[in-house]
Amino acid sequence: MSTVVVDPLVLPGTDELRERALAALRRCGVTTAGHTGDTGDTITVRTPITGADLFDIPAADTRDVAAAIDAAHEAFGRWRMVPAPARGALVKRFGELVGRHRADLADLIGIEVGKIRSEALGEVQEMIDICDLAVGLSRQLTGRTMPSERPGHRLMETWHPLGVVGVISAFNFPAAVWSWNVALATVCGNTMVWKPSPRAVLTATACTALFDRAAADVGAPANLNVLVIASAADAAVLVDSPRVPLVSATGSQAMGERIAPRVAARFGRVILELGGNNAAVVTPSADLDLTTRAVVFAAVGTAGQRCTTLRRLIVHESIADEVAARLRAAYARLPIGDPFTESTLVGPLIDGQAHQSMARALRQAVADGGTILTGGDRRPTGTSAFYVEPVLVRMPAQTAIVRAETFAPILYLLTYRTLDEAIALHNDVPQGLSSSIFTTDQREAERFLAADGSDCGLVNVNIGTSGAEIGGAFGGEKATGGGREAGSDAWRAYMRRATNTINYSGALPLAQHIDFA
Ligand code: NAD
């Protein structure tokens, strides 16, 4: 581990953060946060910036979750008959309000999740981008027509809304991932019940207030998106309800393993966006200046707490020492600290549990023969916040700990001799979210993109594993869950398809020439 002595970080006061959160909520139109009934349950809002508790928010119980489903179901009866372009008008207005409250939402994301300013603002920009995409989509929910084998017949597809979509979201993208769902599900004619992460309930409350204001502004019905701030146990109602035809869940593999069989047991559908264990292959022809910058952003951005964070770097043995030296130099210069300070690039871990998992993983990596090249220490703060130095570990092999997702800024460096060996290492993990190759050799790039190349849902050349654009479908394979959200044709997952055959001939010819006279 590094032995460099560093000064304690200067952090904002807890009262200052509380006031900043309240002011942002007020500007977004929030008058009360949390469930309005009296269940006796509460969820504590804590900031990772100082580790302090800020507020206790009343939580919903199972009856409230059931009532939320009823309300969203009732709204669906009206919303599905609103023409899709008119539904797009709501999303357009919502995108405008998000743009106007960009700084407020970024404040709440910073306070609850500890994202640095530019990444928090980037998350809000992603919300605006998906609204733009969904508005265009509201005029393009197209079905196909196919030639019928029978004279005087027409064969076509129509797409209809599904119903109530249950959205379960993770702490690390507390606004953007919900907005991917809400923008598409809304133009597709669905309504939603949203269960956010208990670690980001203020952000969820502000987003919901803006969405409700947008609905009122365009004269849309109430309860198109009903927020339930509830524990995972109480949210089970959402998972099990036959009135929720689609559950879109973002979070850990363990969460997916718990909910997917339950939704399947009632023949519901899921969109699963689960953990990743993303890798980049660096070949001898790579541009190492570009590679170093891309690797640092992908590995340490959001303090290693993105689903797409780069966790494994698979480097050709001939350049491994040079790549390691460049990364050590870059890691030594990383500004770690208060996410609201403009120059900070690495904010805090979400909590002490995240720090424990990181420390456990590092101990195991060293026990497996790994060498810590730089980082790994916790920075002193005098608070119960967890600021850590991103860490680079050289591993002799892809051991079990390397094959698991540890949600912290640990980058394992592995070496390879042949590209086949690199791709085999790359794919030999349970998860399949994001991947990159750094090369200037087109043959190597094409090999990585081919059917026997990377097995991930996102496969990049000369950019890092994180930071996807909303225009493409986002999601991953294997234990990442197979779901797709955002652009391309991801909207189809929020609709049901009907195949229509129309006979305008006056005769009744049967398909496959069956004679039934
Ligand atoms: P988590 O699994 O702890 O929680 C995610 C959400 O699921 C929370 O709202 C939680 O309350 C809820 N939940 C958990 N068990 C549930 C149950 N039985 N019923 C209903 N709800 C339940 O994840 P987290 O710590 O908030 O987020 C980090 C994880 O999310 C990482 O594994 C990360 O890779 C993953 N993630 C994936 C993507 C993606 O797009 N693939 C995006 C963001 C985060």
Side-chain angles (χ1 to χ4, degrees), residues 96-327:
E96 286 164 4
L97 290 177
V98 169
R100 194 184 297 168
H101 291 276
R102 195 187 291 265
D104 297 326
L105 292 174
D107 274 2
L108 294 169
I109 294 169
I111 290 165
E112 286 191 301
V113 177
K115 268 191 195 185
I116 63 167
R117 194 67 181 163
S118 69
E119 289 189 88
L121 286 167
E123 174 159 1
V124 181
Q125 184 59 47
E126 203 168 336
M127 300 174 76
I128 298 166
D129 293 346
I130 193 72
C131 287
D132 283 352
L133 183 134
V135 173
L137 193 59
S138 71
R139 292 184 182 271
Q140 297 175 70
L141 301 171
T142 51
R144 296 167 187 225
T145 56
M146 286 73 64
S148 170
E149 68 189 45
R150 288 170 278 186
H153 283 59
R154 185 153 67 89
L155 193 52
M156 66 175 193
E157 289 175 348
T158 42
W159 291 84
H160 301 294
L162 278 174
V164 178
V165 178
V167 178
I168 296 174
S169 55
F171 83 84
N172 65 325
F173 273 93
V177 170
W178 164 74
S179 72
W180 293 354
N181 282 285
V182 82
L184 293 198
T186 299
V187 296
C188 290
N190 303 296
T191 58
M192 274 142 299
V193 175
W194 179 17
K195 190 217 109 41
S197 165
R199 295 181 279 192
V201 297
L202 300 185
T203 307
T205 304
C207 288
T208 300
L210 294 177
F211 188 81
D212 287 349
R213 196 191 324 165
D217 286 353
V218 301
N223 297 324
L224 296 183
N225 170 73
V226 186
L227 177 66
V228 286
I229 292 173
S231 66
D234 288 341
V237 177
L238 198 57
V239 174
D240 293 333
S241 172
R243 298 181 107 185
V244 180
L246 171 65
V247 176
S248 177
T250 305
S252 57
Q253 188 181 327
M255 178 274 284
E257 282 165 2
R258 282 195 297 272
I259 73 158
R262 291 170 68 155
V263 181
R266 60 174 177 83
F267 300 105
R269 293 194 204 168
V270 286
I271 297 175
L272 293 177
E273 298 285 0
L274 309 177
N277 190 355
N278 317 295
V281 174
V282 186
T283 73
S285 74
D287 170 341
L288 291 189
D289 286 338
L290 178 148
T291 304
T292 306
R293 281 187 285 129
V295 165
V296 172
F297 172 67
V300 316
T302 324
Q305 300 168 111
R306 285 192 184 211
C307 52
T308 50
T309 291
L310 178 62
R311 308 203 179 278
R312 298 175 296 134
L313 195 62
I314 303 169
V315 187
H316 191 267
E317 60 179 10
S318 64
I319 53 167
D321 289 342
E322 184 178 356
V323 169
R326 283 171 178 257
L327 288 174

Side-chain angles (χ1 to χ4, degrees), residues 332-380:
R333 291 193 302 270
L334 285 173
I336 301 168
D338 174 12
F340 282 115
T341 300
E342 201 82 0
S343 56
T344 297
L345 291 182
V346 183
L349 290 180
I350 189 72
D351 56 22
Q353 229 179 339
H355 180 243
Q356 275 173 21
S357 324
M358 177 173 172
R360 217 176 12 247
L362 286 180
R363 277 197 301 274
Q364 186 59 53
V366 170
D368 291 345
T371 307
I372 293 180
L373 301 180
T374 184
D377 285 342
R378 181 180 170 196
R379 289 280 173 94

